[in-house]
Amino acid sequence: MSLLVVGSVAFDAIETPFGKTDKIIGGAATYISLSSSYFTEQVNLIAVVGEDFPKSDIELLESHGVDTEGLQIKKGEKSFFWSGKYHNDMNTRDTLVTELNVLGNFDPIVPEAYQDCEYLMLGNLSPKVQSTVISRLKKRPKLIVMDTMNFWMDIALDDLKETMTMVDVLSINDEEARQLSGEYSLVKASKKIMAMGPKYLIIKKGEHGALLFHGSKVFLAPALPLEEVFDPTGAGDTFAGGFIGYLASTNDISFENMKRAIIYGSAMASFCVEKFGTERISNLPEKELKSRVKEFIDLVQFEVTV
Ligand code: AMP
């Protein structure tokens, strides 16, 4: 099933207790596209970069079956740049720099070949751009998943709330769910957020896994307890890529299948954090993905008589 990914393609500079990087390839759409490419043959990408973005990084995406017709390259402009520093717990971070650059006035053009999109993943970027993409699709996709972050809650809350009315699934982290709802309890927060539009809500809790809410149903997926977390950057986007990639490849959007998709998303995210940036998910043998999913099954399987 055709999958369309929208989001930032960026330069990131990351600092963790284990080390520091110069500008490396990052961005929500980068992580989502790479991750979903392990499930679907072709991923269509809508994003924007500046003239400074290396051709080799675009080729990396293309080598994963990512179609870059919708990736605009703006002459004389600079790519989006984000820099973050992780605390010792590796679960929380400070954003040091957000330079929107080309993202500031991004007009997302939908190539004709992308119009058949059945699954739409709106990765993190301006909510106005996210809703523009939806409105430019002639046919509503079967499933629209949206990811966002506190940055947009702070500067574009009205646009964000409007875009939320147009999507099926919202994916955010626990801190963002609390900020958006004004509730500390994630169960109360989920009710308030689902009343704002999305019928499904995923709340990511870093090393504590992820929750999926739908009506009164709730599902909890663990995160794999890892000996070493090197760099959590992009884990949320990699999770989202695995989630929608699995749904698109199975073409089943039932709650039961979403549970499986969450496990696949969590497995992909567990790889992402093992190395800096996109390094680990750029080259992942299929066998390793399979055995990691098995580890997840073993982790939560138990027998009990009640
Ligand atoms: P995650 O760790 O999953 O929250 O995602 C990290 C990625 O989000 C980085 O690669 C950044 O380039 C990207 N990012 C950070 N801030 C923003 C923003 N305001 N809009 C779009 N993408 C962003």
Side-chain angles (χ1 to χ4, degrees):
M1 284 293 134
S2 55
L3 169 61
L4 174 57
V5 174
V6 186
S8 54
V9 171
F11 283 131
D12 287 349
I14 305 159
E15 208 178 318
T16 80
F18 299 102
K20 224 173 149 172
T21 67
D22 282 332
K23 285 187 174 180
I24 56 170
I25 182 175
T30 304
Y31 285 99
I32 295 168
S33 302
L34 288 174
S35 178
S36 56
S37 75
Y38 290 90
F39 302 89
T40 55
E41 246 160 55
Q42 191 184 319
V43 180
N44 294 333
L45 172 67
I46 293 183
V48 64
V49 289
E51 208 178 5
D52 53 356
F53 204 72
K55 209 165 164 264
S56 56
D57 285 340
I58 298 175
E59 283 165 359
L60 167 75
L61 294 170
E62 289 170 344
S63 71
H64 278 261
V66 179
D67 186 294
T68 55
E69 190 190 342
L71 175 67
Q72 300 175 32
I73 303 171
K74 293 281 176 196
K75 280 228 163 76
E77 291 189 50
K78 283 168 73 182
S79 303
F80 174 74
F81 173 62
W82 176 82
S83 168
K85 182 176 175 176
Y86 288 86
H87 300 166
N88 280 339
D89 67 3
M90 293 295 261
N91 236 6
T92 48
R93 73 181 176 208
D94 293 325
T95 288
L96 304 177
V97 183
T98 300
E99 284 175 14
L100 288 177
N101 299 327
V102 280
L103 262 197
N105 55 2
F106 178 34
D107 182 26
I109 304 199
V110 181
E112 196 50 43
Y114 293 4
Q115 282 291 346
D116 67 346
C117 149
E118 300 248 33
Y119 288 80
L120 173 60
M121 179 68 228
L122 299 170
N124 190 11
L125 87 179
S126 143
K128 194 87 201 154
V129 172
Q130 291 176 319
S131 62
T132 301
V133 171
I134 299 176
S135 65
R136 287 182 178 171
L137 287 172
K138 293 176 194 143
K139 188 172 77 64
R140 190 191 192 278
K142 186 168 171 180
L143 189 79
I144 305 179
V145 181
M146 169 188 182
D147 192 280
T148 189
M149 75 184 290
N150 50 0
F151 179 83
W152 302 109
M153 293 175 194
D154 294 337
I155 69 162
L157 187 60
D158 289 342
D159 288 341
L160 183 88
K161 284 187 173 167
E162 199 186 320
T163 308
M164 277 173 63
T165 64
M166 302 162 89
V167 308
D168 303 299
V169 185
L170 178 70
S171 160
I172 47 179
N173 70 28
D174 44 0
E175 227 179 280
E176 291 153 356
R178 290 183 173 121
Q179 177 171 346
L180 189 57
S181 64
E183 292 287 351
Y184 187 80
S185 149
L186 293 180
V187 177
K188 280 189 185 163
S190 73
K191 287 185 182 147
K192 277 199 179 170
I193 294 169
M194 285 190 286
M196 295 177 189
K199 293 196 176 56
Y200 298 84
L201 173 68
I202 295 170
I203 300 183
K204 296 165 285 184
K205 287 158 57 72
E207 65 171 328
H208 304 298
L211 289 157
L212 168 68
F213 293 95
H214 174 53
S216 56
K217 292 187 205 163
V218 56
F219 173 69
L220 168 69
L224 201 67
L226 293 167
E227 222 165 280
E228 254 178 4
V229 172
F230 220 70
D231 170 22
T233 308
D237 306 313
T238 302
F239 169 90
F243 175 75
I244 197 148
Y246 180 79
L247 291 178
S249 70
T250 50
N251 195 20
D252 172 358
I253 56 170
S254 65
F255 186 75
E256 283 310 305
N257 204 45
M258 281 193 193
K259 288 186 187 175
R260 288 187 276 273
I262 290 230
I263 297 294
Y264 275 91
S266 304
M268 288 305 298
S270 74
F271 285 116
C272 176
V273 303
E274 287 180 343
K275 292 212 170 138
F276 265 112
T278 56
E279 198 181 332
R280 187 73 167 106
I281 60 160
S282 292
N283 197 357
L284 197 61
E286 202 178 311
K287 254 172 62 190
E288 287 195 39
L289 174 56
K290 278 198 178 149
S291 72
R292 182 117 334 160
V293 170
K294 284 198 190 111
E295 282 186 62
F296 270 84
I297 297 170
D298 291 343
L299 188 67
V300 289
Q301 210 163 41
F302 58 90
E303 282 178 27
V304 66
T305 314
V306 281

